[in-house]
Structures are given as C-alpha cells and as structure tokens.
Amino acid sequence: MSRGQAAEVKSRTTKSRLLPAPGKPKPADVGAGLVTGLFSIPEGMAYASIAGFNPVAGLYAGIVPAIVGSLTARTVLMVTTLTSAIALTSQNVLRQAGLDPRNTGHLATLTLLAGLVMLLMGVLRLGAVMSFVSHAVMTGFSTGIALQIVTGVLKDATGYRPHGHNRLYQVGDWLAHIGRWQLAATLVAIATVVVWALARKVRRLEPVALLVAMIVVGAAVAALGTHVELVRDIAHIPAALPGFSAPDLSVVPQVLGGAVAVALVALAQAASIGSSVPNPDGSRSSVNGDFAAQGLANLAGGLFQALPSGGSLSRTGVAVSAGARTRWAGILSGVLLALVVLVCAPLAERVPMPVIGGLILVVGGELIWGKRHDILLVLRTSPLSSAAMVLTFLATTQLPLQQAIVLGAVLSLLLYCAQAARQSRFLALTRDPKGHWHLSDPPDRLPPGDVTVLYYAGTSFFAELPRIEQALPRADDAHGAVLILVVRGAPDVPSSTMAKVIRRHARELDRQGGRLILAGVSPGLARILRMTGVDRDLGPGGIVPAEGAVFEPLDRALADARSWAAARSGRTPDGTAGHRTPPGPPT
C-alpha cells in the first residue's frame, strides 16, 4: 500500500470514528423503520397522555428527534424518542415548577435545556461517569425500566388501569382485578401476541413479525367491528408536520435544575443500549457520542413541538425485532412517521390500542427476558452486588426516576469502596538466595535487627486503612528493626488518615529503636508528605522516590535499611539480611 493510500485509509478511519457514515439503507431497514414509525403513533401519544402532556407532542417526538438522533448516534440502531420514564420525569419537573405541561413554550424550554445538558456532557466527555455505575446497578435499573414499560400498557392491553404509584403494586393490583379486565381488549391483546409468535415461526416473516401482528389483528378488529379503544380515542392526529415552537425564556430559572434531571434520566436509559444492542457493522459505540447525539436531537426537536427525548429501550427493541440493520431504520422511522401523519392520519387513528398494548408487552417481556443472564451473573457474584441490584430495581419501580438514578450512583460508589476496601492488604516481600522476590503473609511482629519488606496491594488507601493497619507487624521490642513499605500503588494525593497512619507507625518504631522507610513514593505523594511534616518523622532517607526501574527504589531502600540496621547492631551490612530478606543478587 502506498503512503497516499495509507493516508486515505487513515482519513476514512478517523472520519468513521467520529461519525459512522449512514451508507445505503437495506430492505430490512425499510420494514423496521415502518414498524417503528407506526409504533411511535400510539406509544408516543400514550406516554404523553399518561404524563399529562398533549398527546400530539408525544407523536411529534418520533419525527425530528428520531431522525437527528439516528443520523448522529454512535450506537447505530438506537432510536431516540419519547420514553415513559422521560415523560413522567418531565411531568414531575414542570409540576414542581408550577408550569402548565400543555404550554408549548414551557415544553420547548424544558426540551431545549435538557438537550443542551446532554450535548455538553457529550462534548466534555462526561460519558465516563456512566462507567462508575456498576453492572449490578445498571442491571437493576434497566430491569426496572422494562417493568415500567410493561406496566405502562396494562390498561391498553386489558382495559383495566391498575392503581398505585408503585409499579410492583400496580402489577399486583392488575392481577388481583382480573375480573375487571375488558374481554374484548384482552382477547385482542392475546390475539396480537399469538399472531406475533406465529409470524416469528416463519423465517421470512420473523424480521417483520411485529408489523404483521399489527396489520393482521388491526384489520380483523375493523372487519369484525370489535369495540375496543382506538388511537383516535386518545387524541386527534392532525394531518400536518410539527410547526415551529418558540421557547419561553422567562421560565429558564424554574426548569434549569429539572432539565438536568430529565437529561440524566434519558442518558441513564440510553447508556445500556450500546452494550445491549451492538452495532451490526462492527463499529464501536461511544457513550459520549450518544450523549451528544441525544443532545442534538432534543435541540432540534424542542423547536418543533417535541417532548424531551432519549434513547428508547422499547423503540430500539421494536426496530431490532423488526430486522433493523443500519442507522437508516431509525432515520426512516421518523421520515415514514411524518409521511403517515401527512397522508394516513385518519387510518393511523384506527389502530387498536390493545394491539399496541399486546406488542409492547412482547417488547417489554423480551427486554426483561434478555436481562436474565445478567441478573443470574450478579446474583452469583456476591451478596453485596445482589443487594445493590435489588435496591436499584425497587427504587426504579417506586421512586421518581431522577431519585432512583442518584440512589443507583450512590450505591455504585459504596459498592466500589466496599470492594476496594475488602481487597486491599499488605503483603510481605521475601527474597530467596537466587534473588527472586516472593509474596507471603506479613509477620505478626517485626524481628529485632532485621529488615521486613511489605507491599501495599490495593486501590484506594483510605477506606481500608483502619482494617489493614491492624495487619501491620507489631513493633514490640523492634530494636534495630527496619520496616520498608512499598507504596508505589498509593495515590498521589493521600487522605489525612493515611498521613496519620504513617506518622503514628514511624513514631512507634522510633520509640522502639526501629525505623520506617517508604519506597516507590510518587512525586505527588512525596510533596504531600513534606507539606504535612511526615517526612520529618521518617527522617533522612525515609522517602525513596519512584525513579528508575520497577524494583530500583526497593533495592535502594533495602541497601539503606541494611546499613542502618548493621550500624545499630554492630554488624556489617553483608551479614544483616536475616530470615525475612536473605541475601541474594540485586534484582
């Protein structure tokens, strides 16, 4: 390959890394886009209606945000649109601010601010924050969101709306009142699931099984004249594209904090899509890229009457189940939805709500079923991880989602600290006659006139200090003993607790006629030790900087310790190795 060709390939690779090109749509993308677009009519309107918004705003959230989000997202198959969690969070924000959820100016302001927060988080590369949310917490959160999707359509599927703010209680209430289910709606929902299952048995129909179920059962309901709720019973669908909506800047102070909460809910939902739905073209997803894409989608959608939007688990699941292969599926879902609204609005109004309810039950059930391996993995990992997963799941089903996210983040932090503290410890380093270092348990007490080397194995050097300090060898009768602590893994900016532990142990050894040496000290840690005065407690040569080869600081500390111990005991350095550090060639 010539240098020019290599440069061209590198340029193309760089561009694709920044934003994968849409390429050409595949036939399956057209069907997937149509299915997803049709789903956006009743589902978007239902979510908006449940949250007290104008149902048409939920419909419009499937047009501009879906197109812009799919054009710019790094997760190719992710569909950006309204979700039940975002709708409910937005309702809570506007209600607490005392604003009208049906006011287009207020809605545009909230959507634009949420989009700006998402875009800034993407540009500032804050997607890494999601990496600190543990797998256990994300599993509990995703499963709770999937349950919310299911409970959100129980009324559509059976005609009975369960009561209670707790999602688990709603499921129980729904099952307890099975006698109040509407027979016609329930049979239509069951027929929808059956037709979907049969269509999946046919290889050619499997990618479009959802669309087949929607068309077949919808046509049967119309032909038989079955009396069930239709889309038009929720709201009238205007045969027009969304118009421009100007934001009301006077309410920015009232909704700014709430916009951050809406953005976090949306981003937390979308964060798991990249790992759950890998890109068919083999390209890598990017959380930061997805954050920015959702921000752009909301900035565009907010100007055209759309509710706040984010990566939708249910709509992405619909697209994937319908055979989506490229980002064109999401783009076409918005384009085809706009065409359906313009041309077939009266026909779209006749889609039976139990059909949508049945299909959303299928999608939600598949999402929950798809998490079974992750749930089992967490349960088998540790009781602490299992508790974090269960608590996050319960919080997602019982608390406002912005509070559930904060709780999940706190649980992740506590889980990390607890695991780090449990894993951190001191290990004794002993060297055999051939000069090879071996790990062993620390001795109970420091041998007098001997050199003991301990290596710190851990990550935080804070939460674990009260526990591992007890594992340090006792300094009773440690005359002439030297303890070398290898702290190469310690942080540059230690806690005050760490400084107190080092000072306390250095003074204790000094009272017993011994000495403490720190080996492998980073420049940042050395600076902090000098600023806190700990270096004076260690004395000259008590801090050996992390310079040279990996074991070079330890070799220098060991040579200094042997000379010091020999001077105290009256022996030569060559004869003072003792049983903890037998002589051998330098490493």
Side-chain angles (χ1 to χ4, degrees):
M1 181 183 293
S2 66
R3 183 174 301 178
Q5 290 175 323
E8 182 179 355
V9 169
K10 182 178 180 181
S11 176
R12 290 178 180 176
T13 303
T14 303
K15 291 180 180 179
S16 64
R17 191 177 297 142
L18 294 174
L19 182 63
K24 294 182 179 180
K26 300 183 181 300
D29 293 325
V30 179
L34 180 60
V35 173
T36 308
L38 290 175
F39 251 78
S40 297
I41 296 174
E43 188 183 54
M45 295 176 72
Y47 288 161
S49 180
I50 290 172
F53 294 105
N54 184 343
V56 177
L59 172 66
Y60 287 158
I63 299 179
V64 175
I67 295 173
V68 175
S70 293
L71 276 172
T72 56
R74 291 296 302 272
T75 300
V76 171
L77 300 183
M78 184 176 72
V79 179
T80 303
T81 186
L82 177 67
T83 70
S84 60
I86 296 175
L88 293 172
T89 305
S90 300
Q91 175 204 42
N92 185 57
V93 168
L94 293 178
R95 185 177 66 248
Q96 290 183 350
L99 302 176
D100 182 7
R102 290 178 175 262
N103 184 295
T104 56
H106 299 168
L107 187 58
T109 303
L110 177 61
T111 306
L112 290 172
L113 288 175
L116 183 60
V117 172
M118 296 177 188
L119 181 60
L120 287 176
M121 291 187 69
V123 171
L124 297 176
R125 305 188 67 79
L126 296 180
V129 173
M130 299 306 300
S131 301
F132 291 92
V133 180
S134 69
H135 177 257
V137 168
M138 283 304 301
T139 299
F141 184 76
S142 300
T143 307
I145 291 296
L147 181 63
Q148 285 209 12
I149 292 172
V150 170
T151 56
V153 296
L154 293 179
K155 189 265 180 183
D156 297 326
T158 61
Y160 173 74
R161 186 187 301 277
H163 300 285
H165 296 291
N166 185 315
R167 301 294 179 176
L168 292 174
Y169 182 85
Q170 288 180 7
V171 174
D173 180 76
W174 178 69
L175 293 173
H177 293 85
I178 190 172
R180 299 179 63 179
W181 295 2
Q182 295 178 8
L183 181 60
T186 304
L187 290 177
V188 170
I190 293 175
T192 303
V193 176
V194 171
V195 173
W196 167 81
L198 293 175
R200 282 178 60 88
K201 297 292 185 181
V202 182
R203 185 175 181 180
R204 292 186 177 183
L205 295 180
E206 183 178 1
V208 292
L210 294 170
L211 180 59
V212 170
M214 180 185 294
I215 294 175
V216 171
V217 181
V221 169
L224 296 174
T226 306
H227 182 68
V228 294
E229 187 179 38
L230 305 178
V231 169
R232 67 186 179 189
D233 297 323
I234 298 178
H236 168 66
I237 300 179
L241 295 177
F244 177 78
S245 56
D248 184 354
L249 300 181
S250 64
V251 300
V252 169
Q254 297 168 262
V255 299
L256 181 58
V260 175
V262 172
L264 291 177
V265 168
L267 296 178
Q269 279 190 279
S272 62
I273 295 180
S275 58
S276 302
V277 186
N279 293 339
D281 59 3
S283 61
R284 291 186 178 181
S285 298
S286 168
V287 176
N288 292 313
D290 288 341
F291 280 13
Q294 292 171 83
L296 293 173
N298 279 279
L299 289 175
L303 298 175
F304 292 96
Q305 301 180 333
L307 280 166
S309 303
S312 170
L313 278 170
S314 63
R315 220 71 59 87
T316 302
V318 169
V320 173
S321 298
R325 294 292 180 269
T326 70
R327 65 178 64 250
W328 276 104
I331 298 170
L332 291 175
S333 72
V335 174
L336 294 175
L337 175 59
L339 292 177
V340 169
V341 169
L342 281 176
V343 180
C344 307
L347 185 60
E349 289 180 346
R350 298 182 64 84
V351 175
M353 290 306 298
V355 170
I356 300 303
L359 293 181
I360 294 300
L361 287 177
V362 168
V363 172
E366 284 189 317
L367 290 173
I368 295 176
W369 181 249
K371 288 294 179 182
R372 68 189 187 281
H373 297 300
D374 291 330
I375 294 173
L376 290 175
L377 177 63
V378 173
L379 291 175
R380 293 169 179 171
T381 300
S382 71
L384 198 59
S385 296
S386 301
M389 178 183 68
V390 172
L391 286 175
T392 305
F393 171 78
L394 293 176
T396 306
T397 59
Q398 300 183 48
L399 300 176
L401 288 178
Q402 62 268 35
Q403 296 180 15
I405 289 178
V406 173
L407 177 61
V410 172
L411 286 175
S412 295
L413 180 60
L414 292 177
L415 184 63
Y416 170 78
C417 291
Q419 291 176 338
R422 290 168 58 185
Q423 295 173 359
S424 300
R425 55 178 176 158
F426 279 119
L427 296 171
L429 284 176
T430 58
R431 196 161 66 177
D432 61 25
K434 294 183 179 180
H436 299 148
W437 289 100
H438 300 275
L439 296 175
S440 61
D441 294 328
D444 293 333
R445 64 179 63 245
L446 293 177
D450 201 355
V451 179
T452 301
V453 180
L454 298 184
Y455 172 75
Y456 169 71
T459 55
S460 65
F461 220 92
F462 167 67
E464 75 276 14
L465 284 177
R467 179 180 59 83
I468 68 172
E469 185 180 8
Q470 300 177 0
L472 286 171
R474 295 198 303 272
D476 304 340
D477 192 25
H479 180 74
V482 180
L483 174 61
I484 300 176
L485 294 183
V486 181
V487 294
R488 182 179 289 271
D492 283 349
V493 183
S495 65
S496 58
T497 306
M498 174 184 174
K500 290 179 63 176
V501 168
I502 295 175
R503 172 179 284 126
R504 183 162 55 241
H505 215 66
R507 291 179 177 178
E508 177 64 20
L509 279 172
D510 184 66
R511 283 194 296 268
Q512 298 295 331
R515 184 187 182 192
L516 175 65
I517 298 177
L518 302 182
V521 179
S522 65
L525 177 57
R527 182 174 61 255
I528 296 297
L529 294 176
R530 288 193 297 270
M531 292 174 59
T532 56
V534 177
D535 61 326
R536 293 190 294 272
D537 294 294
L538 295 172
I543 298 177
V544 181
E547 298 174 349
V550 174
F551 285 98
E552 188 173 334
L554 175 56
D555 290 336
R556 294 200 304 270
L558 189 58
D560 185 33
R562 287 173 173 169
S563 298
W564 185 89
R568 284 296 183 103
S569 62
R571 292 179 292 171
T572 61
D574 293 338
T576 59
H579 71 280
R580 298 304 300 173
T581 53
T587 303

